[in-house]
Amino acid sequence: MKHEYSPRSLSIKAFAQAAGDLESSLPLSDFERLREESLGPIEGVLVAFAAQGEMQEDAAGQDEPWVHLSGTTTLTMTCQRCLGPVAVDIDFERSFRFVANEALAEVEDEESEEDVLVMSREFNLLELVEDELLMSIPAVPKHEECPTTVKLAAADADFVDAPADKPNPFAVLQQLKK
């Protein structure tokens, strides 16, 4: 029998003990902070994610819940080279170990290489997906090859060059010295 899991209210321990699988695609409009990063229309843009739970033994032989999570979406951003719109594919793949309380998570997060989070009976997986996608946004979004020629110089039509016949102030001082 296949279990149905809710990504908005996921019992991490039960999900990991059942080796649960959860895959879904939701509209970008459901992710407020991620939606703010997109400059273009968001209709039809989806955020896809997948989660797998498992129990793994720690060094002491105790079972610990783990969640392997991946997600992907496409955001319309400003190309930092040509300043035009660019569709940027954002994705991530991470594994998280869950512990019983915040104090334990703080200690173990400092000592371990893996990501440690606090277990809860109603964990909001969508917030974690959104956080990970936000952290995966490139610092400098740009086209592989810009569709227009990048303008490397700027000139103002109202700018008038300084007249060439204006005397050099040092030349005037040179005259006084003679």
Side-chain angles (χ1 to χ4, degrees), residues 42-57:
I42 61 170
E43 292 79 28
V45 179
L46 296 175
V47 174
F49 63 92
Q52 294 81 36
E54 75 169 322
M55 297 299 281
Q56 289 183 6
E57 278 189 18

PDB file of all heavy atoms in Angstrom, residues 42-57:
ATOM      1  N   ILE A  42       4.786  34.587 -14.230  1.00  0.00           N
ATOM      2  CA  ILE A  42       4.982  33.322 -13.530  1.00  0.00           C
ATOM      3  C   ILE A  42       3.899  32.300 -13.850  1.00  0.00           C
ATOM      4  O   ILE A  42       3.964  31.180 -13.370  1.00  0.00           O
ATOM      5  CB  ILE A  42       5.073  33.542 -12.001  1.00  0.00           C
ATOM      6  CG1 ILE A  42       3.778  34.164 -11.469  1.00  0.00           C
ATOM      7  CG2 ILE A  42       6.277  34.366 -11.639  1.00  0.00           C
ATOM      8  CD1 ILE A  42       3.688  34.190  -9.964  1.00  0.00           C
ATOM      9  N   GLU A  43       2.926  32.675 -14.675  1.00  0.00           N
ATOM     10  CA  GLU A  43       1.874  31.744 -15.045  1.00  0.00           C
ATOM     11  C   GLU A  43       2.502  30.575 -15.800  1.00  0.00           C
ATOM     12  O   GLU A  43       3.270  30.764 -16.736  1.00  0.00           O
ATOM     13  CB  GLU A  43       0.805  32.407 -15.928  1.00  0.00           C
ATOM     14  CG  GLU A  43      -0.017  33.455 -15.224  1.00  0.00           C
ATOM     15  CD  GLU A  43       0.708  34.795 -15.095  1.00  0.00           C
ATOM     16  OE1 GLU A  43       1.556  35.109 -15.947  1.00  0.00           O
ATOM     17  OE2 GLU A  43       0.436  35.496 -14.117  1.00  0.00           O
ATOM     18  N   GLY A  44       2.178  29.375 -15.398  1.00  0.00           N
ATOM     19  CA  GLY A  44       2.683  28.178 -16.069  1.00  0.00           C
ATOM     20  C   GLY A  44       4.056  27.721 -15.594  1.00  0.00           C
ATOM     21  O   GLY A  44       4.517  26.660 -15.988  1.00  0.00           O
ATOM     22  N   VAL A  45       4.726  28.509 -14.744  1.00  0.00           N
ATOM     23  CA  VAL A  45       6.039  28.111 -14.226  1.00  0.00           C
ATOM     24  C   VAL A  45       5.819  27.206 -13.015  1.00  0.00           C
ATOM     25  O   VAL A  45       5.060  27.541 -12.105  1.00  0.00           O
ATOM     26  CB  VAL A  45       6.883  29.342 -13.835  1.00  0.00           C
ATOM     27  CG1 VAL A  45       8.228  28.908 -13.267  1.00  0.00           C
ATOM     28  CG2 VAL A  45       7.068  30.269 -15.029  1.00  0.00           C
ATOM     29  N   LEU A  46       6.489  26.062 -13.021  1.00  0.00           N
ATOM     30  CA  LEU A  46       6.319  25.084 -11.945  1.00  0.00           C
ATOM     31  C   LEU A  46       7.595  24.921 -11.132  1.00  0.00           C
ATOM     32  O   LEU A  46       8.694  25.126 -11.634  1.00  0.00           O
ATOM     33  CB  LEU A  46       5.935  23.723 -12.524  1.00  0.00           C
ATOM     34  CG  LEU A  46       4.600  23.637 -13.246  1.00  0.00           C
ATOM     35  CD1 LEU A  46       4.420  22.260 -13.863  1.00  0.00           C
ATOM     36  CD2 LEU A  46       3.454  23.954 -12.299  1.00  0.00           C
ATOM     37  N   VAL A  47       7.411  24.555  -9.880  1.00  0.00           N
ATOM     38  CA  VAL A  47       8.508  24.148  -9.001  1.00  0.00           C
ATOM     39  C   VAL A  47       8.317  22.654  -8.779  1.00  0.00           C
ATOM     40  O   VAL A  47       7.318  22.233  -8.199  1.00  0.00           O
ATOM     41  CB  VAL A  47       8.475  24.910  -7.658  1.00  0.00           C
ATOM     42  CG1 VAL A  47       9.529  24.362  -6.710  1.00  0.00           C
ATOM     43  CG2 VAL A  47       8.654  26.405  -7.873  1.00  0.00           C
ATOM     44  N   ALA A  48       9.267  21.864  -9.283  1.00  0.00           N
ATOM     45  CA  ALA A  48       9.190  20.411  -9.134  1.00  0.00           C
ATOM     46  C   ALA A  48      10.150  19.982  -8.030  1.00  0.00           C
ATOM     47  O   ALA A  48      11.243  20.529  -7.908  1.00  0.00           O
ATOM     48  CB  ALA A  48       9.555  19.731 -10.445  1.00  0.00           C
ATOM     49  N   PHE A  49       9.733  19.018  -7.226  1.00  0.00           N
ATOM     50  CA  PHE A  49      10.607  18.516  -6.166  1.00  0.00           C
ATOM     51  C   PHE A  49      10.323  17.052  -5.905  1.00  0.00           C
ATOM     52  O   PHE A  49       9.259  16.534  -6.229  1.00  0.00           O
ATOM     53  CB  PHE A  49      10.446  19.336  -4.880  1.00  0.00           C
ATOM     54  CG  PHE A  49       9.081  19.267  -4.270  1.00  0.00           C
ATOM     55  CD1 PHE A  49       8.788  18.323  -3.302  1.00  0.00           C
ATOM     56  CD2 PHE A  49       8.084  20.138  -4.678  1.00  0.00           C
ATOM     57  CE1 PHE A  49       7.517  18.255  -2.742  1.00  0.00           C
ATOM     58  CE2 PHE A  49       6.822  20.084  -4.128  1.00  0.00           C
ATOM     59  CZ  PHE A  49       6.536  19.130  -3.158  1.00  0.00           C
ATOM     60  N   ALA A  50      11.324  16.395  -5.331  1.00  0.00           N
ATOM     61  CA  ALA A  50      11.205  14.983  -4.969  1.00  0.00           C
ATOM     62  C   ALA A  50      11.907  14.769  -3.640  1.00  0.00           C
ATOM     63  O   ALA A  50      12.958  15.362  -3.379  1.00  0.00           O
ATOM     64  CB  ALA A  50      11.832  14.100  -6.048  1.00  0.00           C
ATOM     65  N   ALA A  51      11.314  13.948  -2.785  1.00  0.00           N
ATOM     66  CA  ALA A  51      11.894  13.644  -1.482  1.00  0.00           C
ATOM     67  C   ALA A  51      11.818  12.131  -1.251  1.00  0.00           C
ATOM     68  O   ALA A  51      10.821  11.498  -1.594  1.00  0.00           O
ATOM     69  CB  ALA A  51      11.148  14.377  -0.373  1.00  0.00           C
ATOM     70  N   GLN A  52      12.889  11.593  -0.696  1.00  0.00           N
ATOM     71  CA  GLN A  52      12.924  10.193  -0.314  1.00  0.00           C
ATOM     72  C   GLN A  52      13.390  10.129   1.137  1.00  0.00           C
ATOM     73  O   GLN A  52      14.363  10.790   1.506  1.00  0.00           O
ATOM     74  CB  GLN A  52      13.909   9.383  -1.178  1.00  0.00           C
ATOM     75  CG  GLN A  52      13.528   9.263  -2.639  1.00  0.00           C
ATOM     76  CD  GLN A  52      13.911  10.506  -3.437  1.00  0.00           C
ATOM     77  OE1 GLN A  52      14.929  11.111  -3.186  1.00  0.00           O
ATOM     78  NE2 GLN A  52      13.056  10.881  -4.362  1.00  0.00           N
ATOM     79  N   GLY A  53      12.687   9.347   1.934  1.00  0.00           N
ATOM     80  CA  GLY A  53      13.054   9.177   3.331  1.00  0.00           C
ATOM     81  C   GLY A  53      13.737   7.848   3.561  1.00  0.00           C
ATOM     82  O   GLY A  53      13.474   6.880   2.841  1.00  0.00           O
ATOM     83  N   GLU A  54      14.618   7.820   4.546  1.00  0.00           N
ATOM     84  CA  GLU A  54      15.251   6.561   4.919  1.00  0.00           C
ATOM     85  C   GLU A  54      15.803   6.665   6.331  1.00  0.00           C
ATOM     86  O   GLU A  54      16.051   7.759   6.834  1.00  0.00           O
ATOM     87  CB  GLU A  54      16.361   6.155   3.946  1.00  0.00           C
ATOM     88  CG  GLU A  54      17.633   6.933   4.086  1.00  0.00           C
ATOM     89  CD  GLU A  54      18.792   6.335   3.292  1.00  0.00           C
ATOM     90  OE1 GLU A  54      18.914   5.099   3.231  1.00  0.00           O
ATOM     91  OE2 GLU A  54      19.567   7.116   2.747  1.00  0.00           O
ATOM     92  N   MET A  55      15.982   5.524   6.940  1.00  0.00           N
ATOM     93  CA  MET A  55      16.624   5.450   8.253  1.00  0.00           C
ATOM     94  C   MET A  55      18.044   4.943   8.035  1.00  0.00           C
ATOM     95  O   MET A  55      18.242   3.970   7.306  1.00  0.00           O
ATOM     96  CB  MET A  55      15.856   4.501   9.185  1.00  0.00           C
ATOM     97  CG  MET A  55      14.433   4.940   9.515  1.00  0.00           C
ATOM     98  SD  MET A  55      14.308   6.514  10.368  1.00  0.00           S
ATOM     99  CE  MET A  55      14.720   6.031  12.034  1.00  0.00           C
ATOM    100  N   GLN A  56      19.014   5.637   8.650  1.00  0.00           N
ATOM    101  CA  GLN A  56      20.414   5.227   8.563  1.00  0.00           C
ATOM    102  C   GLN A  56      20.978   5.126   9.973  1.00  0.00           C
ATOM    103  O   GLN A  56      20.643   5.941  10.831  1.00  0.00           O
ATOM    104  CB  GLN A  56      21.248   6.249   7.787  1.00  0.00           C
ATOM    105  CG  GLN A  56      20.989   6.304   6.322  1.00  0.00           C
ATOM    106  CD  GLN A  56      21.922   7.300   5.615  1.00  0.00           C
ATOM    107  OE1 GLN A  56      22.831   7.862   6.205  1.00  0.00           O
ATOM    108  NE2 GLN A  56      21.654   7.524   4.346  1.00  0.00           N
ATOM    109  N   GLU A  57      21.863   4.160  10.172  1.00  0.00           N
ATOM    110  CA  GLU A  57      22.496   4.011  11.480  1.00  0.00           C
ATOM    111  C   GLU A  57      23.595   5.050  11.649  1.00  0.00           C
ATOM    112  O   GLU A  57      24.354   5.309  10.726  1.00  0.00           O
ATOM    113  CB  GLU A  57      23.112   2.610  11.615  1.00  0.00           C
ATOM    114  CG  GLU A  57      22.139   1.546  12.005  1.00  0.00           C
ATOM    115  CD  GLU A  57      22.826   0.236  12.348  1.00  0.00           C
ATOM    116  OE1 GLU A  57      24.043   0.231  12.622  1.00  0.00           O
ATOM    117  OE2 GLU A  57      22.119  -0.784  12.333  1.00  0.00           O
TER     118      GLU A  57
END
